[in-house]
Amino acid sequence: MTGHDGPPSCPRCLAGVCEVHRPVVDRREVAVFVVSGLLLFSGVLLVYFTPYPLAGTALLLAAAVLSGYEVLRDAFFAIIHLRFSIAVLISIAAAGAFLTANPAEGATVLYLYAIAEFLEEYAAGRAERSIASLLDLAPQTARVRRDGGEVTVGVGEVAVGETAIVRPGDTVPLDGIVTNGASSVDQAAITGESVPVAKGVGDAVYAGTRNTDGYLEVRVTKPEEESTIARVVALVAEAQAHTSPTEAFIERFSRYYTPAVILVAALLVVVPPLAFGIPFLEAFYRALILLVIACPCALAISTPVSMVSGITTAAHNGVLIKGRDSLEAVGLARVIVFDKTGTLTTGRLEVEDVVAFGVPEAEVLAVAASLESRSGHPIAEAVRRRADEEGIPARDVEEFASLTGRGVRGRIDGVASVVGNTGLFMEIPGGAWQAAYDRLESEGKTVVLAGTDSAVIGLLALSDVIRENAKETVADLRSRGIRTVMLTGDNERVGEAVARRIGIDECHAGLLPEEKVTMVEQLIDRYGPVVMVGDGVNDAPALARADVGVAMGAIGSDVAIEAADIVVMEDDIAKVAYLVALSEKTVSVVRQNVTAAIVVKLGIAALAVLGLISLWMAVAFGDMGLTLAVIVNALRIGRPAGVPPS
Ligand code: ADP
Ligand code: MG
C-alpha cells in the first residue's frame, strides 16, 4: 500500500499516508452506496407492496450489480482460475437468492457485504490518517536566514546547513542543532510527553516539536524526508502493513476453508431433503445462509484492526512499535530483561572517591582521564568530567584499545596503562588496594582500577543514580505477573544493591557483552519469549537476540531507532509499563474479537441449519454487524481507559 505517486520527497507519500497525492475516501464509492441503496429500497417496496414485482426485481438486480460489482468481478476471475475466495461464497449466495425468487435478499447480501468491506477499509484508513496526523504537526514552511535577510520557504527547499529561525510559539520546521538562543520545547509530537524540555546552544531539536517561549536559531541537519518524525511515520506505516502470525494463520486457513464450506453447503442442499424430507427449496435457502455466514471477513480483520489500533496509539505516546508481531510478543512475554547502566539508572555517573597508592591522587586521575578520553562509556564521561573540574590535562595515549565491558588500555609516556574492572587485573595479586576496593564496593559504588601491567596505582569509585519511576515500573510489571531480570557488566555487589533497591527479581552481574547474549538465550530457554530493554547502542547484540528488543531514549539516535524492534523515544522507564499494558490490552482485544467472531458465526450457522434465520439477517448480523463490532472493539485500545499514557 505504500504509494510513491507524489514527488519523491513527499514524506507522506513515502509513508503511504498521503492524502494529497492519494486520497483516502473515494467519493465515487460513496455515490455508489447512495444510488444502490435507493435502488435497493425502491426495489423492495415494489416487490412486496405493489403489484409490480417484476419491475422491483429489475431494480434489485441493478442494485446488486452496482454495489456488488467488485465482488462479482473478483468471484468471476477466481472461478475461471479455479480458485475459491470469499467473493465466490458471497456471489454464489447472492445468485442463489435471485434464482430461488428471493431477489431482495440477493441484493441485500451484496449491498451489506460491500458496506462491510467499506468499513474495513475505513478502519484501516483511519489508522493511517491518525499516523499521518503526526506529520501534520510539522510545518510546511520554514523561516530561514538567506543573504542577511529572512525568507519563508517550503521546508522541502531548505538545504542542510541553513539556519532556520524559530520564534516563540512556532513549530520547529526541520531537525537541527540550536546555534543561538534558549527555550523550552514541547516534544509531544515525538515523545508523547508534553512537559517542555529545555534547549540551548548545541542541543538537538526536532521537526514537529513546538517552541514555547524563547527565540531559537537552528542549523538544519537533515532534509525534510529524513527528519525523525518522518522516519517514525514511515516505520509505523510499514509496521501496519506487516503480517502477524495470527493473520498468516487465518490466511492459510481460508484457502482450504472456502472449498470445504462450498462442499458442506452442497451436502446441505442434498442430504436434508433426502433424509428428513425437508423441501428442496428450503434446504437450498439454508445452504445459502451457510455460505454467507461462513465468510470469515470479520474474523480476518479482527486481528489486524486491533494490532493497527495498538501500534497507532503507541506512536502517539512516543512508543514506536516496528512490527505487529513485536506488539503481540510483548503482550505474551512473561519475562522482561533490563540492562542496568543507562536503562534502570540514568547512566550519568559521578566520580565519588579517588584513592591513590603510592602516587598523588592527581596522577591517578591524569592516567584514568587520558585513557578515557577516547572512550564513549558513561564511566569515561564521568572520569573526564572529574579531571576537568580539577584542572588536570589529558596526556597523549598511544596504542589505545577499548575492551568492551571491561575497560580501556593504552601507552602513556611509554608506560602500558589500564583502567577498568578487576578482570583486567587478574594477574596482579590483591594487595593494599583490595581492602579499599571492598569497602567502596560494599557502599554500592562501581569501582574501577587504574594501573600498569604490574601494579595498581589507584581506584576510582563512581555512583550512578537510579532512574525515577524504575521502582514503580518494576512493581507494576510484577503486579502483571511478569518476572524482571537485570543484566549488568558491573560488579556483583553494585548489581545486587541496585536490584534490591528497585525490586528486580533476578540479577546477573559481571557479564561481558557476549555473556549478556548467552544469558538472554538461557532466559528464553527457561521462561519462553523474552523482552529486553536497553539503550540500543551498547546493548545491541543482546537486544537483537531477545524476542523483542526495546531501545530506550532513542530520540537522538538513528542507530537505535533502526536497530530495535520497539523504540521508546523518551528516556522514561515508565513507558515500559505503558507498553506492556498496551500490548496486553491489544492481545486481549484480539482474543475477544476472534472469539466473538467465531461464536456469532457458529450461532448463526446453527440457526440457519434449523431454518430459524433469513439470509439478509445473516449478512446484517454475521457480517456487517460483526465487522462493525470488531472495529469498534479494536478502537477501544486507543482510548485512555485501562492504559494510562504513563
Ligand atoms: P552495564 O552492563 O552495566 O551497562 P558495561 O557492560 O558497559 O556495563 O560495563 C561493564 C563494566 O566494565 C563496568 O562496570 C566497568 O567496570 C567496566 N568498564 C567498561 N568500560 C569501561 C571504561 N571505559 N572505563 C572503565 N571501566 C569500564
Ligand atoms: Mg550499558
Side-chain angles (χ1 to χ4, degrees):
M1 268 279 290
T2 31
H4 289 264
D5 305 359
S9 67
C10 170
R12 289 171 180 77
C13 277
L14 291 175
V17 292
C18 189
E19 280 194 64
V20 179
H21 301 116
R22 181 186 280 239
V24 179
V25 174
D26 192 343
R27 279 161 193 273
R28 219 186 42 196
E29 217 168 349
V30 177
V32 165
F33 281 126
V34 173
V35 174
S36 50
L38 287 174
L39 285 174
L40 179 64
F41 183 69
S42 27
V44 170
L45 285 184
L46 286 180
V47 169
Y48 290 104
F49 302 105
T50 68
Y52 312 109
L54 222 56
T57 303
L59 289 185
L60 290 170
L61 200 59
V65 172
L66 187 59
S67 63
Y69 170 72
E70 276 178 31
V71 179
L72 295 170
R73 187 197 52 197
D74 289 353
F76 174 76
F77 284 112
I79 290 172
I80 61 173
H81 288 111
L82 292 178
R83 279 188 296 109
F84 291 102
S85 68
I86 306 309
V88 174
L89 293 183
I90 295 296
S91 302
I92 295 178
F98 273 100
L99 291 177
T100 53
N102 290 305
E105 305 229 41
T108 311
V109 165
L110 288 171
Y111 187 68
L112 292 181
Y113 181 77
I115 288 187
E117 292 263 278
F118 179 77
L119 286 174
E120 269 178 60
E121 267 171 42
Y122 177 78
R126 182 185 182 278
E128 286 178 356
R129 284 192 300 283
S130 166
I131 280 305
S133 72
L134 282 178
L135 276 179
D136 292 335
L137 297 173
Q140 300 292 316
T141 59
R143 264 196 278 270
V144 290
R145 176 153 295 157
R146 276 183 194 170
D147 312 320
E150 195 187 305
V151 289
T152 301
V153 296
V155 282
E157 290 150 40
V158 180
V160 168
E162 284 196 280
T163 298
I165 312 269
V166 188
R167 300 222 157 76
D170 280 358
T171 303
V172 177
L174 293 151
D175 283 14
I177 305 277
V178 177
T179 51
N180 189 15
S183 183
S184 302
V185 175
D186 172 353
Q187 305 198 117
I190 293 176
T191 63
E193 175 57 68
S194 56
V195 177
V197 181
K199 298 281 184 182
V201 173
D203 288 335
V205 289
Y206 307 96
T209 61
R210 207 173 50 80
N211 180 19
T212 59
D213 50 9
Y215 168 88
L216 295 174
E217 285 179 13
V218 175
R219 182 168 48 80
V220 174
T221 53
K222 281 179 187 162
E224 181 195 11
E225 68 274 13
E226 281 173 31
S227 67
T228 303
I229 197 158
R231 292 161 64 108
V232 166
V233 171
L235 286 168
V236 171
E238 199 179 311
Q240 289 174 343
H242 263 255
T243 321
S244 87
T246 320
E247 278 169 67
F249 170 75
I250 288 180
E251 221 159 78
R252 217 168 333 120
F253 177 74
S254 40
R255 197 171 312 152
Y256 304 99
Y257 170 82
T258 316
V261 167
I262 293 176
L263 195 71
V264 172
L267 289 177
L268 214 57
V269 175
V270 182
V271 178
L274 295 180
F276 309 108
I278 289 176
F280 173 76
L281 267 184
E282 176 62 24
F284 190 80
Y285 183 78
R286 290 181 196 181
L288 292 184
I289 297 179
L290 191 77
L291 287 186
V292 167
I293 219 48
C295 163
C297 299
L299 188 63
I301 69 154
S302 59
T303 302
V305 85
S306 313
M307 292 288 173
V308 165
S309 180
I311 290 173
T312 308
T313 307
H316 282 286
N317 281 287
V319 179
L320 173 54
I321 299 172
K322 286 163 57 182
R324 297 179 194 174
D325 39 356
S326 302
L327 180 61
E328 212 165 12
V330 171
L332 298 172
R334 288 333 326 147
V335 181
I336 298 192
V337 180
F338 292 91
D339 174 58
K340 180 180 76 87
T341 314
T343 302
L344 289 172
T345 66
T346 61
R348 249 163 297 161
L349 284 79
E350 206 68 62
V351 175
E352 300 260 331
D353 312 79
V354 180
V355 184
F357 305 107
V359 294
E361 264 181 37
E363 175 66 15
V364 175
L365 266 174
V367 169
S370 305
L371 288 174
E372 297 288 22
S373 64
R374 306 253 200 112
S375 165
H377 200 274
I379 292 180
E381 229 167 273
V383 172
R384 287 198 305 262
R385 207 171 338 115
R386 177 63 179 265
D388 271 354
E389 279 163 20
E390 306 205 355
I392 299 170
R395 299 175 193 164
D396 281 346
V397 177
E398 284 158 5
E399 299 171 31
F400 172 85
S402 169
L403 311 153
T404 317
R406 275 176 294 193
V408 285
R409 83 157 93 234
R411 208 169 267 282
I412 301 176
D413 299 330
V415 182
S417 310
V418 195
V419 179
N421 57 24
T422 48
L424 291 176
F425 292 82
M426 278 312 195
E427 309 85 57
I428 303 173
W433 60 268
Q434 191 73 52
Y437 184 95
D438 289 346
R439 176 175 58 80
L440 291 168
E441 223 188 57
S442 66
E443 290 169 10
K445 291 169 185 162
T446 300
V447 190
V448 294
L449 305 166
T452 62
D453 277 348
S454 56
V456 172
I457 61 164
L459 300 178
L460 299 162
L462 301 101
S463 67
D464 198 350
V465 183
I466 289 176
R467 265 190 209 287
E468 221 186 316
N469 294 333
K471 195 171 171 181
E472 288 81 350
T473 301
V474 166
D476 184 309
L477 294 177
R478 158 142 346 106
S479 73
R480 294 175 182 281
I482 292 172
R483 185 171 180 81
T484 50
V485 179
M486 183 177 96
L487 303 184
T488 179
D490 211 340
N491 67 67
E492 194 83 29
R493 252 184 293 208
V494 176
E496 287 295 341
V498 170
R500 207 166 335 105
R501 279 180 53 200
I502 299 178
I504 292 273
D505 293 316
E506 192 177 322
C507 163
H508 301 276
L511 300 173
L512 295 174
E514 59 271 23
E515 290 173 327
K516 288 185 184 175
V517 175
T518 319
M519 205 63 216
V520 167
E521 282 169 355
Q522 285 177 19
L523 290 166
I524 292 173
D525 283 346
R526 215 173 327 146
Y527 302 112
V530 160
V531 176
M532 160 116 196
V533 186
D535 62 22
V537 182
N538 288 327
D539 307 311
L543 287 187
R545 184 62 193 85
D547 297 277
V548 182
V550 182
M552 291 280 306
I555 184 170
S557 160
D558 290 349
V559 184
I561 292 180
E562 231 44 74
D565 300 309
I566 295 181
V567 176
V568 177
M569 299 307 281
E570 208 184 3
D571 239 348
D572 178 5
I573 191 88
K575 294 275 183 181
V576 175
Y578 165 78
L579 169 66
V580 170
L582 181 78
S583 305
E584 287 184 351
K585 188 168 179 183
T586 305
V587 167
S588 95
V589 165
V590 166
R591 287 206 182 117
Q592 288 164 13
N593 276 354
V594 171
T595 312
I598 292 174
V599 167
V600 169
K601 296 264 179 199
L602 285 180
I604 295 181
L607 293 178
V609 172
L610 298 173
L612 296 175
I613 194 167
S614 67
L615 191 54
W616 76 266
M617 282 161 102
V619 190
F621 298 121
D623 195 56
M624 193 195 75
L626 196 56
T627 301
L628 198 59
V630 157
I631 291 172
V632 168
N633 196 30
L635 295 182
R636 216 162 51 84
I637 296 169
R639 283 215 315 259
V643 182
S646 72

